[in-house]
Amino acid sequence: MNKSAIQKFAMGARTTLMEQVAQRAYQYGITKDGYGDANAVTVNGKALSTQEQSQRRELVREIQAKGYDQVIEEVAYTWFNRFIALRYMEVNNYLPSHIRVFSNAQGAFDPEILKEALHIDLPGLDQSKVAEYIEKNETEALYRYLLLTQCNALNEGLPKMFEKMGGYTELLFPNNILRPDSVLGHMVSDIPEEDWTDQVQIIGWLYQYYNTELKAETFDLLKKNVKVTKERIPSATQLFTPDWIVRYMVENSLGRLWLEGHPNQALRESWKYYLDEAEQEPEVEAQLVVLRSQRQTLRPEDITLIDPCMGSGHILVYAFDVLMQIYESEGWSQRDAAAAIVQKNLYGLDIDRRAAQLAYFAVMMKARQYDRRFLTRGIQPNLYHPGTYAEGQEFGSLLIVDELEPKPEHSDEITLFDSSYEDKLNTWNFRSLLARQYDVVVTNPPYMGSSNMNDKLSKFVKDNHPDAKGDLFSCFIERGNRMANQDGYNCMVTMQSWMFLSSFEKLRQKLLHSKTIMNLMHMENMVMGIAFGTAVTVFRNCHIDGFKGTYNQIKLKDIDNSAPKEFPVLENRFAWVNASNFSRIPGSPIVYWVSEKVFLSFSNTKLSEYASPRIGLITGDTDRFLRLWFEISLKNIYWECPSNDAAKSSDFKWFPYQKGGEFRRWFGNNEFLLNWENDGWECKNDNFSGSRVKSHNYNGEYAFRAAITWTKISSGTFACRFVPVGFMFDDAGPICTVSEGKVFFVLGLLNSKVGAFYLSMVSPTINYLPGHINSIPIQFGTKESQAACTLAVDKLVQISKQDWDSYETSWDFKRHPLV
């Protein structure tokens, strides 16, 4: 697939279509600055037909409700969706007329429909109009009429993609559409025809690339601290899921659900990314036998699967293929299975109407693939967007519907203050899908940190997902579990941060104690084409104590041509782990790669019993309160201040200060001084000279003691240094005081590979906090081994001190070692 060609076309199409739609609006007297008389019958001296007057009034109402820019964006996107839908259908010969609308039989941009205009059998086509256009040689107008009629004819089979013509979108149909450099010309010429035969890929990538510019605009606004509005949530969060990851998700959730009650080796072997369960302990296996027996009565038509953030429908389309395999294994015909899958098995929601349109089209085309007459059967999928439903527009499928109101009844009486029946029905359908539960929930949810949420969304997630409020994806993990039936599956591809960060600790503990992790595929940066690690997790919506889940890691080097070179990757990156082990580690990080012995070691004595790591001062004004040591006369510095009381009673203003610094082990980075005169009165007094510094909770009682320090945020290997008596300390350079006689032993542990290994579990990010240090297990061994270690570390500290002092940057510099 030529992704670069698809990207170039989609990005260019958005710009061109928006310009052309705006140009059409201008022709009817409508611009960003205004629209004149909403009921105008003439514009710029041109008399408007009755239909044009109606369409213009409708357009003005939309602009009044949504704003000019939003309406232009929506109309351009609507025509983009219709164009790519028609192109897909003509290439795959799915158009009922079997006559191409954009190209000829050789694939060139030369619409076959123009040549067949007098002979085409198209519902609603007025041949007298066609003849009139031909007689007047009005080719552009004829093509516009044919294309609109073709779209209208497709309304019966695909009503949600090709809405009934006659509205303002028809009024804004782009001009000059037959030119070779038009959107249609580039669509036919630039994208290889064979790419249009891969339905999922072409629709998904077109959807993502079309929004590239809008997404960039949204992130530019975020940099300016502008929160994401409901209209921009799709552009800020949409992300196309690679095909192989979709297959992994569907096969290990939907596929697993079926195989548990209906073992079938042929099906199992056809699913490349399905992973067999680990061999379980007898008591766990006994629980599984009971659960599997409950699946034996499950029929294909009983299975329900929802994608609550369906985007362009990639997951639903592959789920369709898997369901078709299941149905066929049970003796169903493809025609009957296709109807059952659309009506009974697949459900989908999305906050973005345009994405929902594409998902709808993708599912309908998949059904058409298995049943050539499907579009004539009047069957419609259960896929919805919020429409005019205000809460749905704000919160999407995070909304919880505990009680569903009665389905609205059709009424011909529509008042000015009453929304249409279609709007009410769409809202009810949207809410009805949120009110029920499903056997399988599979999705790639939106990723958005709490700092980027608008006020309404932020309050909603805090109120409804207090343990997962840090990001939308974590809220969706909880929502997915609530959507799943008891013992159902919830499978999501999310950021990896929920596995490790302290902000998700409560969520992790809740998941580990109430759910079962069946599979977790951990992917490093860029495996999904994004610059952060991700994880696909299959949760079983019940807790099976002692269950060994399947964990595997995928690195970028494993990927070739957008898929793993082999699967699973067994090279020391595949494990079966009892998830209860994670709870042994403080913070319950999902560290699936460690051994049973390591898990057991956390039952030993913790470093917190012998050490007191603390963060320090936040001055809030470095230029004001800090100096490099050589900026102050040495006689004005209190060297080796023994205690806080001594500092208070002294007349000194400047004291040595630990502030982190570059990577360095054992000793060094002693460069700064702090203004701590009169017990830091100036630093503590927020109102002094209008200053707003922060010195609260600075752990002053630990100041000036011999200790260990480190740089709190480090992109490299963790490194500790010995701090002699006399230092204050900073938030960026925390300290750790240690029981008498044990400081060098602890320093040795923290600087060792063992210390780094344990820290990688409790703090897999670049941020090393006191709690991480506290949680490291420690064993002192015999007195002899402890003494030997202490002596060795003492020597290392002295060597490092000599090295530090051999340069003029040290206040203890005497002479260069080479002199």
Side-chain angles (χ1 to χ4, degrees), residues 139-425:
T139 307
E140 183 86 25
L142 171 60
Y143 186 59
R144 180 179 186 273
Y145 174 64
L146 291 171
L147 201 54
L148 290 173
T149 305
Q150 174 66 86
C151 289
N152 211 38
L154 289 170
N155 168 261
E156 185 175 354
L158 295 164
K160 292 183 182 178
M161 173 58 78
F162 297 98
E163 291 138 339
K164 207 74 174 171
M165 291 288 104
Y168 66 91
T169 54
E170 180 179 331
L171 189 74
L172 299 180
F173 185 88
N175 291 324
N176 303 316
I177 209 71
L178 279 174
R179 289 171 51 174
D181 61 349
S182 69
V183 169
L184 299 186
H186 282 295
M187 180 174 65
V188 173
S189 303
D190 296 354
I191 303 176
E193 191 157 301
E194 58 268 21
D195 287 356
W196 291 95
T197 61
D198 189 343
Q199 170 194 351
V200 169
Q201 296 283 345
I202 190 72
I203 293 174
W205 286 119
L206 282 167
Y207 170 62
Q208 174 149 322
Y209 290 140
Y210 184 91
N211 287 309
T212 300
E213 213 169 286
L214 187 60
K215 189 169 190 173
E217 291 172 8
T218 302
F219 279 100
D220 284 342
L221 290 172
L222 288 175
K223 290 175 184 176
K224 298 174 184 176
N225 295 319
V226 178
K227 304 295 185 182
V228 176
T229 61
K230 64 181 181 182
E231 291 82 11
R232 286 187 175 269
I233 287 176
S235 66
T237 59
Q238 58 87 22
L239 179 68
F240 184 65
T241 316
D243 186 61
W244 74 272
I245 295 176
V246 169
R247 290 172 181 265
Y248 176 95
M249 295 171 74
V250 174
E251 289 169 13
N252 286 285
S253 54
L254 171 62
R256 187 176 304 282
L257 178 91
W258 180 255
L259 290 183
E260 282 181 339
H262 308 79
N264 185 315
Q265 190 60 27
L267 281 179
R268 163 66 189 88
E269 290 176 357
S270 69
W271 297 334
K272 180 179 178 181
Y273 297 100
Y274 181 90
L275 294 175
D276 293 314
E277 288 177 7
E279 185 177 341
Q280 307 291 337
E281 298 298 326
E283 59 272 19
V284 176
E285 187 61 33
Q287 295 179 65
L288 291 172
V289 168
V290 174
L291 293 173
R292 290 169 189 150
S293 67
Q294 296 169 4
R295 305 268 200 235
Q296 291 174 1
T297 57
L298 185 70
R299 302 175 302 170
E301 63 269 34
D302 296 331
I303 300 170
T304 54
L305 178 148
I306 188 170
D307 182 345
C309 316
M310 63 185 172
S312 57
H314 192 172
I315 290 171
L316 292 172
V317 167
Y318 185 61
F320 197 118
D321 285 331
V322 170
L323 284 163
M324 181 60 71
Q325 291 175 304
I326 290 171
Y327 272 95
E328 288 185 306
S329 72
E330 293 291 293
W332 286 59
S333 69
Q334 288 189 346
R335 186 190 71 180
D336 291 342
I341 291 169
V342 172
Q343 290 176 302
K344 299 180 179 181
N345 298 131
L346 293 183
Y347 300 82
L349 296 169
D350 202 275
I351 200 169
D352 183 7
R353 173 179 174 271
R354 296 162 297 189
Q357 222 177 26
L358 290 176
Y360 162 83
F361 177 72
V363 169
M364 292 295 281
M365 290 301 100
K366 179 56 69 171
R368 168 62 179 80
Q369 177 184 323
Y370 290 108
D371 174 11
R372 60 189 301 270
R373 298 187 181 278
F374 186 82
L375 299 182
T376 67
R377 301 192 190 284
I379 299 171
Q380 296 296 306
N382 298 294
L383 311 178
Y384 300 101
H385 57 85
T388 58
Y389 179 33
E391 282 193 315
Q393 292 172 349
E394 292 284 356
F395 313 127
S397 39
L398 280 179
L399 275 172
I400 296 170
V401 178
D402 290 320
E403 187 174 345
L404 186 66
E405 62 279 6
K407 188 174 182 178
E409 296 181 4
H410 190 277
S411 172
D412 293 330
E413 297 180 9
I414 300 176
T415 69
L416 182 64
F417 304 102
D418 187 22
S419 63
S420 68
Y421 169 73
E422 288 74 18
D423 285 341
K424 289 180 179 180
L425 182 61

